[in-house]
Amino acid sequence: MAEEKKLNHEQEANPLLKQQPPQQPPKAEQTTEQQDRYLGWTADGLPISHGSVMGQPIPRSPWNSSACACLGQNDHFCSSDLEVCLLGSVAPCVLYGSNMERLHSNPGTFGNHCLHYSGLYVIGNPCFGWNCLAPWLSYHSRTEIRRRFNLEGSCEALNRSCGCCGSYLENEEQREHYELACDFATHVFCHVCALCQESRELRRRVPHPGFNAQPVLVMIPPGEQTMGRGA
């Protein structure tokens, strides 16, 4: 036994042998409180730890146009904005179906949402005198657009402009509850303007699902060539 220990000791002390680094004890896993600290709502429902290298939340961007910009902006989408304004004034069911079709890009999306919206519109107008039932269906689209493209809500916009909504919002979950209520209130009191704003945002960010964005290579055959003779 003594000779074996001596031999092992000599092998460990031999400088020609490759020295192995000392094994470090495994790091303790993060506690539940540390993991929960990095969980929060960002774009597409990702945790806040995915926001940046330092684990900070992704900053939300403002909408491309305000809800009151009925005619849109003076850019290359101007003709599309005029179409949105016309559809929102005459046929909001068509505009809502078009928004959901562009947002989901699934076959049959336009017909399903347009039909449901039309049913609520027909029931709400004769019974209550105004379109009060359709916003209960359509306000979810505003929340979905806001989460998908990481857009700021009404509370964040007011806090950015005048700083009046940031004092009582403690965390991200509470802020999201307020934003859901603001999305619903926007569709109830400014329904047509909200639909138009969402449509302008989608047309600037998402191509129409029926549009073939792949380039088409057109092969043109060479013209007939003739041998010319010198005079």
Side-chain angles (χ1 to χ4, degrees), residues 4-37:
E4 252 178 61
K5 290 183 179 179
K6 183 177 180 181
L7 182 60
N8 292 337
H9 179 69
E10 289 178 356
Q11 289 179 353
E12 291 176 359
N14 192 345
L16 298 179
L17 294 176
K18 186 177 180 180
Q19 300 292 332
Q20 298 181 355
Q23 296 182 355
Q24 298 180 356
K27 295 182 179 180
E29 297 182 355
Q30 289 183 340
T31 61
T32 307
E33 295 180 357
Q34 291 177 343
Q35 292 177 356
D36 293 341
R37 185 166 56 110

Side-chain angles (χ1 to χ4, degrees), residues 56-128:
Q56 298 296 327
I58 302 174
R60 297 184 178 91
S61 56
W63 294 68
N64 282 319
S65 60
S66 64
C68 298
C70 299
L71 300 179
Q73 303 177 11
N74 188 14
D75 55 5
H76 58 280
F77 287 96
C78 182
S79 59
S80 177
D81 295 342
L82 295 177
E83 178 187 354
V84 167
C85 180
L86 181 62
L87 285 176
S89 303
V90 178
C93 57
V94 177
L95 184 61
Y96 174 69
S98 176
N99 292 348
M100 300 308 294
E101 181 184 24
R102 193 179 291 263
L103 184 61
H104 293 155
S105 301
N106 293 329
T109 304
F110 174 83
N112 293 333
H113 288 83
C114 184
L115 182 62
H116 295 161
Y117 184 98
S118 301
L120 295 177
Y121 182 86
V122 170
I123 295 174
N125 275 352
C127 296
F128 302 98

Side-chain angles (χ1 to χ4, degrees), residues 60 156 159 169 171-179:
R60 297 184 178 91
E156 288 179 306
N159 185 32
L169 298 178
N171 50 35
E172 197 70 24
E173 184 178 0
Q174 186 179 5
R175 183 187 298 272
E176 180 61 16
H177 287 312
Y178 280 105
E179 297 297 355

